[in-house]
Amino acid sequence: MEWIRLKARLLEAGSVRLSGEPIDRYVSRSAAGPSAGTSGSLFFSTGARRVRVCIDEASPIEVVHRGGGEADLFIDGERVRGRLEPAALHCPRQAYITVSASCIFHCRYCPVPGLPGRRKEIAGIARMVESVADRVDAIAITSGVASSIEEEEAYVLDVVKALLPFSLPIGVSIYPGPETPARLHALGVAEVKFNIETATPALFSEMCPGLSWEAVWEALRQSVPLFGRGRVYSNVIVGLGETDEDLERVIEGLAGIGVIPILRPLTPAASLAGRPRPSADRMLRLYDIHERILRQAGLNPGRALTMCAACTGCDLVPGRDA
């Protein structure tokens, strides 16, 4: 099966069941993102391409671990040989850390507010990075909002300061305040990701009560002159009720200001737990639109140093999955 079709099918299913040799060292558990609050996930790769899937013993797709990371994927009557990649922290080759695994906001698709999360201490975060520094190429920081947007930003800035001595590219994805881009840039952060989350402002109001669509757009507009075209990213969730035309317009809008959109297929959770995942056919259709617009804008996610576009596990990424 062609890689991009295989990955789209796995993203549609969202999970695999496991058999074979013990697999504990390859299982990742997260406090944020698509697998927050689940029994864990794994990274399956062939060559330089990878996909992340949750673990669910009821899944129709099977991964058989042969030992030493060698694995076979059985999907739709086909067998695909590959490898399991151990996550350094959250994902392969990155120390990807959630600073505050709790949030005062209640975005309808996000499980984090309902989880017993806490804020990590800065010294502990530094120790986490030190423990994997010999097998990562970058550091990525994300966070919920534990008490206020302003206080969370100040804490994340202190975290970044503590991690600068590792001399690794640092990417940061938090909900931004008015001065967030300039403050992160002044510290030497390499890349930022501020998530507009939805394809339309009406959907944003419905899905992210208490947050501002325009504030995120303003942070993105401020960021491009500071970090450069192609060093600023924004997640857009697919499957919240938008049309393909809505997504095409928002991809064009982001790319038009030098921002690389990350199309994130919905992981049904929280109050959207009953929603279906986007189909493989839809994700492939959107990939073609996404790839065309980025190419026309001269933006290449294949140059990403940090965060989701560098990992590629949860999304179809032009420039990396082709």
Side-chain angles (χ1 to χ4, degrees):
M1 187 183 296
E2 180 188 14
W3 167 255
I4 196 166
R5 294 188 177 279
L6 170 65
K7 186 171 183 179
R9 177 71 181 89
L10 286 165
L11 292 175
E12 174 186 57
S15 65
V16 297
R17 69 182 189 274
L18 304 176
S19 63
E21 296 297 314
I23 204 169
D24 286 353
R25 72 178 295 256
Y26 301 102
V27 175
S28 172
R29 292 177 175 84
S30 303
S35 64
T38 70
S39 59
S41 62
L42 58 83
F43 290 87
F44 179 84
S45 66
T46 62
R49 300 182 178 96
R50 67 169 65 101
V51 62
R52 182 183 191 179
V53 284
C54 290
I55 298 167
D56 181 352
E57 292 310 307
S59 175
I61 301 169
E62 183 180 19
V63 167
V64 180
H65 183 213
R66 303 298 183 191
E70 298 294 329
D72 291 335
L73 175 74
F74 292 89
I75 179 170
D76 299 338
E78 293 193 38
R79 173 189 180 188
V80 181
R81 294 190 174 186
R83 289 191 58 82
L84 303 179
E85 288 189 88
L89 292 174
H90 183 69
C91 68
R93 304 303 309 174
Q94 290 190 65
Y96 208 136
I97 296 169
T98 301
V99 171
S100 293
S102 62
C103 195
I104 61 172
F105 296 101
H106 290 78
C107 296
R108 291 186 58 201
Y109 48 80
C110 181
V112 170
L115 300 176
R118 60 181 180 82
R119 172 176 284 171
K120 295 179 177 69
E121 295 181 356
I122 294 175
I125 292 172
R127 287 193 296 270
M128 291 171 69
V129 175
E130 184 175 20
S131 72
V132 297
D134 61 341
R135 49 195 168 97
V136 299
D137 306 310
I139 299 168
I141 297 296
T142 188
S143 192
V145 179
S147 59
S148 74
I149 293 167
E150 296 77 14
E151 194 267 348
E152 197 68 46
E153 178 198 280
Y155 195 77
V156 167
L157 291 172
D158 287 341
V159 169
V160 170
K161 291 173 188 175
L163 299 180
L164 292 173
F166 289 99
S167 299
L168 291 167
I170 299 175
V172 175
S173 177
I174 58 175
Y175 185 82
E179 304 299 323
T180 304
R183 289 169 178 161
L184 291 172
H185 182 260
L187 285 181
V189 166
E191 297 176 331
V192 292
K193 181 158 69 74
F194 304 129
N195 298 328
I196 62 165
E197 307 288 13
T198 68
T200 70
L203 269 175
F204 188 91
S205 295
E206 178 187 350
M207 295 291 165
C208 303
L211 297 175
S212 169
W213 160 277
E214 184 51 42
V216 181
W217 273 98
E218 180 57 29
L220 293 168
R221 285 189 286 264
Q222 290 180 24
S223 295
V224 175
L226 295 170
F227 297 92
R229 289 174 56 85
R231 296 296 179 200
V232 182
Y233 307 88
S234 189
N235 282 7
V236 185
I237 299 172
V238 178
L240 296 177
E242 74 292 323
T243 66
D244 288 2
E245 291 74 22
D246 291 332
L247 285 162
E248 184 167 4
R249 280 191 293 270
V250 82
I251 294 168
E252 288 176 337
L254 290 166
I257 61 172
V259 174
I260 293 179
I262 306 294
L263 299 189
R264 171 63 46 83
L266 174 70
T267 296
S271 69
L272 302 187
R275 291 274 182 103
R277 295 176 180 274
S279 70
D281 286 343
R282 187 182 190 203
M283 295 305 299
L284 289 168
R285 189 166 64 245
L286 291 170
Y287 177 91
D288 289 340
I289 295 170
H290 194 187
E291 191 278 332
R292 170 178 55 80
I293 293 171
L294 290 183
R295 178 168 29 85
Q296 291 171 347
L299 298 171
N300 180 9
R303 296 178 58 242
L305 301 172
T306 70
M307 299 184 289
C308 298
C311 173
T312 76
C314 300
D315 321 289
L316 291 179
V317 182
R320 290 186 181 265
D321 280 322

